[in-house]
Amino acid sequence: MLRSFLGISVSAQTAFYLSAQENPSFWIVLGCLAGLGCGSFLLAGFLTPVVASVTCLAAAYILASGVGSSPPVLSGINLSAVCSVIVSTAIIFLGPGAFSVDARLFGRREIRIPPSNRHPEA
């Protein structure tokens, strides 16, 4: 659910930002295409840790520079960028999940805890 939320959110924010530009430069179009690509990859669950890291860095850059400030701001903080940083950080630590392309390609991650060699002291 986190991955889907972030993928849809990043794609929608990118599409809205691009549609608000009257005469976008090459770099704005390139950045928006990268945002749409990241959103699509997150939605599908492909290269999830890498794409979530790129999304987190891009949202942190937006927060630091103030690029693309949109109307939903609270005391000068872009709430959608804050949400993107938090959710993408959670996805980086949690992984892609069971219903993703990564899980199909590489298998599910299993944590194996070896048995303890210590004898309980009585």
Side-chain angles (χ1 to χ4, degrees):
M1 288 180 69
L2 283 174
R3 205 172 29 82
S4 299
F5 167 76
L6 187 63
I8 292 169
S9 175
V10 167
S11 297
Q13 289 174 18
T14 304
F16 288 141
Y17 182 74
L18 185 59
S19 67
Q21 301 294 319
E22 288 184 22
N23 192 7
S25 69
F26 170 76
W27 296 108
I28 290 176
V29 172
L30 186 66
C32 288
L33 288 176
L36 289 172
C38 285
S40 300
F41 278 12
L42 281 170
L43 197 57
F46 183 64
L47 299 175
T48 306
V50 175
V51 175
S53 300
V54 169
T55 303
C56 184
L57 291 174
Y61 172 75
I62 288 171
L63 273 175
S65 67
V67 173
S69 291
S70 56
V73 293
L74 180 65
S75 300
I77 299 173
N78 192 341
L79 294 178
S80 60
V82 171
C83 185
S84 295
V85 168
I86 293 170
V87 173
S88 61
T89 303
I91 291 172
I92 291 168
F93 288 122
L94 292 174
F99 304 108
S100 65
V101 175
D102 287 342
R104 284 280 187 201
L105 292 176
F106 307 114
R108 294 185 67 185
R109 227 185 317 179
E110 293 182 15
I111 299 173
R112 296 185 182 162
I113 301 174
S116 176
N117 291 334
R118 294 189 324 184
H119 297 290
E121 297 178 26

